[in-house]
Amino acid sequence: MIKILHITIFIVCSGGIGFSAYAQSILSGIRYQVGAGAYVSDKTPFWLRANQYGLVPLNGPFLTLQGAAYKDYDSTMTAQGRKKMFDIGYGAQAVINMGKQAQFLLPEAYLKMRYGAFEFYAGRRKEIIGLIDTTLSAGSYIWSGNALPIPKIQLAIPNYVSILGKGLISIKGAFSHGWFGKQPYTEGYYLHQKWLYGKIGRDSWMFNFYGGINHQVQWGGYSESFKNNDILTKNGFFSADPFVFLNVVVPVYWKIPASKEYTQYETLNRFGNHLGSIDIGFSIKTKFADIYFYRQSPYEDGQMPEVILSMDGNYSLSLDLKNKRYISKINFGYLDTRRQAGELTQFAKWLGKKETHYGEVQNYLNHGQYSEGWSYQNNGIGTPLIIANQDLTKDVQASDSQIFTIDNFVQAYYAAATGKIGKYNYLLKSSFTSSTGIFYLPRASRLSQFSSQFSLGIPFAKYNIESKANIGFDSGNLYGNNIGISFFILKKW
């Protein structure tokens, strides 16, 4: 049964003024956004909300106003054909949503500095982390752009830099510290994050291979809910000292000093909530398309061997077509999280690999100490295909539970295409998800959800204006049955 009709209007403007010969103007790229919208229901369709950096409310009706200003690095080349060694940029965006969920949001507010291949930034910034098609896929497993960006400081090599053979082997990576602030059940806790990726093959080659790992930790903080739980906390506090930080940054076995006392949970497991993915991929350039394949293997609690040899993963296949007459790009995705280190592949067993952590289910994106799990401001940080408990239909969700998700035993299929017909740009994406719950709350029968989105871009070249209309549709017993329509206008100068 269809429950929702949603109409949203956006007006977006951008422009810039140049002031300096040294760099672009401080106001080199200003974008203004003004919007008005109305919802006739209580829920936004799945793909109109997913991977929108937490800016679209779950429930309507609402009005939205948005404004942004950005200054990027100067791309001008020197006489030697190089970019300037040192440069500064910034970004800021403000969003006001008025309706059932009144919100003032700052999805971006950051200062960044570049010196050669290195970049440092502080603040909130929109990011996607992991080997994935960032433009058309269902999202990266660990950091998909589904939640409001977390404030952090980061030192990075953001783009691939050659370390051997003039591009034969290249790397990029980052190290950062962030602040979760106050969340529903925990406050004052931190984010530790690092990632490292490598590429084999020069850009001009037909084949390129990619691989890497990302590592995230939630650590420290205070939980009023666990104040009287001596197994999980000390008077509500999670441990946060230099020895704990060492374990967070370098998650190997370290002998606990005799002078230190930690909780039973921390000494038997790890300090904080560790999670991430091991990513591999390749690209092939052919006459008809550039083909990209990626696999992201999720891990938690250090169960690396089982992760690598399990079928659990976020798979993505993209075809960037050379002939873009009607279709320019296609993406297929598959997410499987049904094993969670509890079962290896037959190939792994044939190799003689044993399930050394059998029975220690990883419980993806949930955690025993941090009740919010892998979420920020009530939105999941990772893949949106593992649906948060609060986003489920009321007859399915666990209303009396603090747990982030009761649906991480998931199998999901995804397909998307984008292209141009005449002067009109279009985007179509659809997903089918089925779930049997979680290890500790299994369901007697499998629940499923179909969600789809269609977008049509209508340009007005004479006025340098682009407009886009979107329709979203849901059918199922996880996220529910919904339909929604949105319309926005984009003007640049």
Side-chain angles (χ1 to χ4, degrees):
M1 179 179 178
I2 292 175
K3 297 181 179 178
I4 178 172
L5 174 63
H6 136 227
I7 301 173
T8 308
I9 300 173
F10 296 91
I11 300 174
V12 185
C13 310
S14 69
I17 303 175
F19 292 107
S20 171
Y22 170 76
Q24 296 178 359
S25 161
I26 291 178
L27 304 177
S28 60
I30 298 181
R31 183 175 58 205
Y32 302 96
Q33 299 183 7
V34 178
Y39 285 77
V40 186
S41 187
D42 62 351
K43 200 163 190 180
T44 310
F46 183 81
W47 284 114
L48 294 186
R49 184 169 184 266
N51 295 336
Q52 298 301 309
Y53 292 97
L55 300 182
V56 179
L58 178 65
N59 301 310
F62 80 93
L63 302 176
T64 183
L65 299 173
Q66 304 183 15
Y70 297 96
K71 176 191 178 300
D72 209 347
Y73 298 128
D74 187 357
S75 59
T76 305
M77 295 292 184
T78 65
Q80 291 75 33
R82 298 179 180 178
K83 295 179 181 179
K84 289 182 299 184
M85 182 66 71
F86 177 78
D87 206 352
I88 295 176
Y90 70 84
Q93 182 185 20
V95 177
I96 298 175
N97 292 327
M98 296 171 288
K100 287 185 178 180
Q101 294 174 278
Q103 297 174 311
F104 175 74
L105 304 171
L106 285 172
E108 291 196 289
Y110 63 86
L111 175 68
K112 61 180 182 178
M113 294 177 285
R114 182 187 70 191
Y115 185 80
F118 292 90
E119 179 187 75
F120 172 83
Y121 90 79
R124 274 184 171 159
R125 189 177 181 185
K126 293 179 179 179
E127 294 177 305
I128 296 175
I129 296 172
L131 291 179
I132 201 70
D133 182 338
T134 60
T135 63
L136 198 59
S137 73
S140 182
Y141 173 80
I142 201 67
W143 199 281
S144 69
N146 191 62
L148 198 69
I150 297 173
K152 62 180 182 177
I153 54 175
Q154 176 172 287
L155 179 64
I157 302 175
N159 302 308
Y160 283 112
V161 174
S162 175
I163 60 171
L164 182 66
K166 296 181 179 180
L168 176 62
I169 298 179
S170 304
I171 63 168
K172 64 179 180 177
F175 186 97
S176 61
H177 175 82
W179 293 263
F180 277 91
K182 183 176 177 60
Q183 302 302 311
Y185 310 110
T186 316
E187 59 184 276
Y189 60 117
Y190 309 114
L191 167 72
H192 167 73
Q193 183 179 61
K194 55 183 175 288
W195 47 267
L196 179 65
Y197 289 92
K199 182 182 77 168
I200 300 176
R202 298 187 176 96
D203 293 338
S204 59
W205 287 12
M206 181 178 180
F207 294 94
N208 281 274
F209 298 92
Y210 306 86
I213 185 171
N214 58 74
H215 177 225
Q216 287 72 213
V217 188
Q218 296 168 299
W219 67 286
Y222 173 81
S223 174
E224 182 69 22
S225 302
F226 296 141
K227 183 177 181 180
N228 298 319
N229 190 324
D230 295 335
I231 295 177
L232 297 179
T233 72
K234 283 188 176 181
N235 298 318
F237 289 93
F238 302 120
S239 298
D241 58 33
F243 179 75
V244 171
F245 185 64
L246 174 63
N247 281 262
V248 165
V249 176
V250 186
V252 297
Y253 175 75
W254 297 92
K255 185 177 181 180
I256 298 176
S259 59
K260 299 288 186 179
E261 289 187 10
Y262 299 108
T263 67
Q264 181 179 344
Y265 187 96
E266 292 167 337
T267 54
L268 291 177
N269 295 280
R270 290 182 180 273
F271 295 99
N273 178 25
H274 295 246
L275 69 169
S277 68
I278 302 170
D279 303 350
I280 58 173
F282 64 84
S283 64
I284 306 174
K285 296 178 180 178
T286 69
K287 292 182 178 180
F288 78 94
D290 292 341
I291 303 171
Y292 302 88
F293 173 81
Y294 305 111
R295 177 192 173 181
Q296 300 179 318
S297 301
Y299 72 86
E300 299 194 20
D301 301 325
Q303 299 176 356
M304 293 291 183
E306 284 81 352
V307 164
I308 297 172
L309 296 175
S310 169
M311 284 300 294
D312 277 2
N314 187 30
Y315 301 81
S316 176
L317 174 66
S318 288
L319 286 78
D320 192 351
L321 304 179
K322 300 295 178 65
N323 183 351
K324 301 181 183 297
R325 184 176 180 183
Y326 297 116
I327 303 174
S328 60
K329 195 173 188 180
I330 304 171
N331 178 265
F332 300 98
Y334 175 67
L335 175 68
D336 196 342
T337 62
R338 295 173 296 169
R339 296 163 186 83
Q340 306 200 20
E343 178 185 348
L344 298 183
T345 63
Q346 289 299 321
F347 177 71
K349 294 176 181 178
W350 180 75
L351 291 175
K353 173 61 186 174
K354 297 181 179 180
E355 295 161 317
T356 55
H357 293 275
Y358 184 79
E360 298 179 21
V361 176
Q362 296 190 19
N363 199 9
Y364 293 152
L365 308 185
N366 288 323
H367 194 255
Q369 291 177 306
Y370 298 92
S371 299
E372 297 86 352
W374 190 233
S375 71
Y376 181 65
Q377 301 293 352
N378 296 315
N379 287 304
I381 300 170
T383 172
L385 295 174
I386 295 180
I387 303 174
N389 177 41
Q390 66 169 19
D391 292 350
L392 298 171
T393 59
K394 293 188 181 299
D395 57 339
V396 171
Q397 65 183 225
S399 57
D400 58 344
S401 175
Q402 296 182 5
I403 197 169
F404 165 63
T405 180
I406 59 170
D407 282 283
N408 62 18
F409 272 46
V410 167
Q411 187 177 24
Y413 301 87
Y414 173 86
T418 186
K420 191 172 185 179
I421 300 177
K423 64 178 182 179
Y424 304 110
N425 299 305
Y426 71 87
L427 168 67
L428 174 64
K429 60 173 67 174
S430 298
S431 62
F432 179 81
T433 305
S434 62
S435 171
T436 55
I438 59 175
F439 180 77
Y440 303 105
L441 292 172
R443 292 199 181 96
S445 60
R446 182 179 298 272
L447 300 182
S448 60
Q449 183 71 43
F450 173 81
S451 295
S452 188
Q453 175 192 348
F454 178 74
S455 299
L456 185 66
I458 308 169
F460 298 92
K462 181 179 179 180
Y463 304 100
N464 195 25
I465 292 175
E466 298 176 4
S467 62
K468 182 180 287 186
N470 307 285
I471 182 169
F473 173 79
D474 301 322
S475 178
N477 41 25
L478 285 170
Y479 194 79
N481 305 317
N482 316 287
I483 188 170
I485 300 171
S486 69
F487 175 77
F488 69 87
I489 296 174
L490 172 68
K491 176 165 177 62
K492 299 180 180 179
W493 66 82

